[in-house]
Amino acid sequence: MVFKFGGASVKDADAVRNMTGIIKNNDGNILVVISAMGKTTNSLERMVNLFVQGETNELQSEFATIKKYHLNIIQELFDREDHPVYADIIQMFGELERKLNKAPSMSFDHDYDQIICFGELLSTKIVTHYLQFQQVAAEWKDVRFSIKTDNTYREARVQWDMTRELVNQHFQFDNNRILVTQGFLGSTIDNITTTLGREGSDYTGAVLAHVLHAEKLVIWKDVPGVLNADPKWFDDTVLLSELSYRDAIELAYYGASIIHPKTIKPLQNKNIDLHVKSFIHPEREGTVISNVEYEKLVPSFIFKIDQVLIRISPEDFSFIAEDNLQTIFGVLSENRVKINLMQNSALRFILCINNDERKLPKIIDALKSNFNVTYETGLELITIRYFDESTVERVMVNKELIMEHRDKKNIQLIVKNMAN
Ligand code: ASP
Ligand code: MG
């Protein structure tokens, strides 16, 4: 089986001890996929920005903070000061420092991946050493030798044939070992590090489970399983104990942040169950995602804040036609923007996207060279799957409706929050 542990499950020494307990309590071959510790990836992201902007002083202080954070964790975990984990971790930080002392390249995305990867490299090293220290026969694997991708840095696409061959070659469970490897990372055919998109470790777990025909993938989280809403928005959430692949894909697609959207398909294709479980209560069942069938499920709610609605119309008052749409989609795909909702009418095309500060001005400018464009920020997008009228009423309190889209199972509402 494949176990995936996210950032929260390795955020401090106690968390690492807890995950070690979970591994010890499970028999059989386990491939452990781990994310960066706690909020390390966010901190590395800040470092990438400072590196590219040449803000050396702030960069050094961020570097010192994250180094200290990792060293503190190992000091708590390993009583011996001469434990080999220290040399390994200090060497990794030395490597990171050398990269930061070079000049940035012309590609932000390339540099991003070369720096951001240290989060997972560090966490897996520390965990592997700790498992060994606890008498678990664990082995560290560099996933970059096995997951091959194209060179779309920050959003790399897996090259399945090569990956299949290399994973089977490198991940062999002889001698009853526990294998530990990094989520989120891959590399190009010429071995340049790539990443699979933020929160991509779930997807790594699915890719490896798929290739190795794993019995199941377990994603360990700080929530009881998949809930019908984010507890941040609702205090009476319900645990969905069973979920079909289809519903899981739809919920993830609409933005339920519980599982990375790309995770389900590789599992579904091989009929591998996905368990989402609490690392705080590992004895509880959590959610099982499989090929179950049912008619209906309790309504699920997905909230996305900070949305932008862009209204586009041709400058010459002509209709929105295929050639216009081609131009619009061209701009979006060049900027790698995901459309959360769109609506087409004779004279206007409307789309809703996340407000990304770096991308929005570029998109608006590009669209303005061909169309009349207006846009509105600060909106919210609410999706309800298996909706009914009472659920719609419930979410519309204090909201002004800007646009709505419904089909048989889903309703999507773009709203302005009047409470703001
Ligand atoms: N550490 C990466 C991130 O925070 C990947 C992951 O956690 O899945 O985005
Ligand atoms: Mg993470």
Side-chain angles (χ1 to χ4, degrees):
M1 27 188 195
V2 180
F3 280 5
K4 182 263 172 172
F5 289 94
S9 61
V10 287
K11 71 174 198 296
D12 53 29
D14 278 341
V16 174
R17 287 190 198 102
N18 178 65
M19 77 161 280
T20 302
I22 292 176
I23 291 168
K24 279 188 163 180
N25 281 335
N26 281 275
D27 301 324
N29 293 332
I30 306 176
L31 169 53
V32 184
V33 175
I34 307 178
S35 302
M37 293 178 143
K39 300 269 176 252
T40 300
T41 307
N42 292 347
S43 160
L44 286 163
E45 245 177 27
R46 284 194 294 277
M47 284 172 59
V48 177
N49 288 324
L50 296 167
F51 168 70
V52 171
Q53 293 154 7
E55 303 276 359
T56 329
N57 290 341
E58 280 175 67
L59 177 59
Q60 267 166 10
S61 96
E62 190 81 46
F63 176 83
T65 309
I66 173 174
K67 183 169 175 180
K68 187 154 176 278
Y69 167 66
H70 285 86
L71 287 175
N72 279 343
I73 292 178
I74 56 181
Q75 266 154 16
E76 266 198 61
L77 288 174
F78 302 89
D79 41 17
R80 276 176 39 207
E81 296 240 320
D82 59 344
H83 191 283
V85 69
Y86 285 93
D88 276 353
I89 295 311
I90 284 164
Q91 194 224 323
M92 276 186 182
F93 275 108
E95 222 179 289
L96 173 57
E97 201 167 16
R98 275 192 297 283
K99 286 197 198 272
L100 296 172
N101 283 332
K102 287 189 190 155
S105 80
M106 296 302 284
S107 161
F108 178 87
D109 290 352
H110 164 275
D111 291 357
Y112 178 101
D113 282 357
Q114 309 321 305
I115 293 170
I116 216 86
C117 62
F118 279 90
E120 272 71 15
L121 295 171
L122 289 160
S123 67
T124 49
K125 261 286 166 221
I126 294 172
V127 168
T128 308
H129 273 297
Y130 188 68
L131 285 167
Q132 290 166 350
F133 183 61
Q134 293 299 311
Q135 266 70 43
V136 179
E139 191 178 335
W140 186 80
K141 291 280 183 189
D142 188 334
V143 82
R144 295 172 297 176
F145 290 119
S146 304
I147 295 191
K148 287 290 155 184
T149 69
D150 67 2
N151 65 357
T152 317
Y153 297 107
R154 297 184 70 183
E155 208 64 61
R157 279 178 285 255
V158 170
Q159 307 289 294
W160 283 95
D161 287 339
M162 270 184 273
T163 298
R164 209 166 272 133
E165 194 180 319
L166 292 167
V167 167
N168 280 312
Q169 202 175 312
H170 295 144
F171 288 85
Q172 286 180 2
F173 286 90
D174 30 13
N175 309 323
N176 267 328
R177 279 182 194 283
I178 305 282
L179 304 180
V180 179
T181 201
Q182 305 77 36
F184 181 51
L185 312 184
S187 80
T188 62
I189 42 170
D190 31 18
N191 292 332
I192 314 287
T193 302
T194 53
T195 61
L196 308 176
R198 283 303 307 263
E199 305 303 326
S201 296
D202 292 353
Y203 180 53
T204 304
V207 170
L208 294 171
H210 173 98
V211 172
L212 295 166
H213 300 268
E215 161 207 342
K216 61 181 174 190
L217 167 64
V218 185
I219 296 183
W220 297 93
K221 301 205 63 123
D222 56 0
V223 289
V226 180
L227 304 173
N228 74 326
D230 188 330
K232 208 163 64 193
W233 305 103
F234 273 179
D235 42 21
D236 55 348
T237 53
V238 182
L239 175 73
L240 306 170
S241 56
E242 277 196 312
L243 208 54
S244 65
Y245 291 121
R246 177 66 200 268
D247 275 338
I249 289 174
E250 298 270 340
L251 293 176
Y253 174 79
Y254 288 123
S257 54
I258 184 91
I259 321 158
H260 191 277
K262 280 156 77 181
T263 308
I264 310 295
K265 208 68 190 117
L267 301 174
Q268 183 181 16
N269 287 2
K270 290 237 173 108
N271 218 346
I272 299 168
D273 288 0
L274 169 58
H275 295 238
V276 182
K277 281 170 71 101
S278 157
F279 60 74
I280 304 155
H281 296 289
E283 71 290 351
R284 297 191 187 159
E285 286 306 320
T287 300
V288 183
I289 299 165
S290 67
N291 61 1
V292 284
E293 282 171 30
Y294 40 74
E295 275 296 298
K296 212 171 153 53
L297 204 65
V298 296
S300 287
F301 299 82
I302 299 147
F303 294 81
K304 275 176 173 276
I305 56 167
D306 214 3
Q307 300 293 298
V308 197
L309 197 67
I310 307 180
R311 296 185 172 90
I312 304 162
S313 49
E315 282 175 322
D316 55 2
F317 303 105
S318 63
F319 292 138
I320 286 276
E322 287 69 16
D323 53 341
N324 302 135
L325 292 175
Q326 192 168 17
T327 313
I328 296 168
F329 287 127
V331 170
L332 297 171
S333 104
E334 254 164 53
N335 288 285
R336 285 197 257 144
V337 173
K338 183 175 171 288
I339 304 169
N340 294 331
L341 185 62
M342 57 188 171
Q343 212 168 65
N344 191 16
S345 64
L347 296 173
R348 212 159 60 165
F349 187 72
I350 302 179
L351 53 97
C352 174
I353 60 175
N354 295 348
N355 189 359
D356 178 325
E357 275 171 35
R358 287 172 67 90
K359 290 179 180 172
L360 186 63
K362 283 196 225 163
I363 297 163
I364 298 295
D365 277 352
L367 291 171
K368 274 192 172 161
S369 63
N370 289 289
F371 304 99
N372 286 322
V373 182
T374 59
Y375 67 98
E376 193 174 350
T377 57
L379 302 178
E380 296 174 10
L381 173 62
I382 306 169
T383 304
I384 314 173
R385 184 158 174 83
Y386 298 106
F387 72 100
D388 56 33
E389 290 315 316
S390 72
T391 55
V392 175
E393 269 166 38
R394 174 174 177 187
V395 298
M396 284 308 295
V397 177
N398 274 331
K399 307 273 163 63
E400 181 197 335
L401 183 65
I402 310 281
M403 197 170 110
E404 111 171 24
H405 174 86
R406 55 173 92 197
D407 55 40
K408 219 168 119 218
K409 284 190 181 142
N410 307 307
I411 188 164
Q412 293 197 281
L413 308 153
I414 296 179
V415 300
K416 191 184 261 172
N417 193 337
M418 305 312 280
N420 287 344

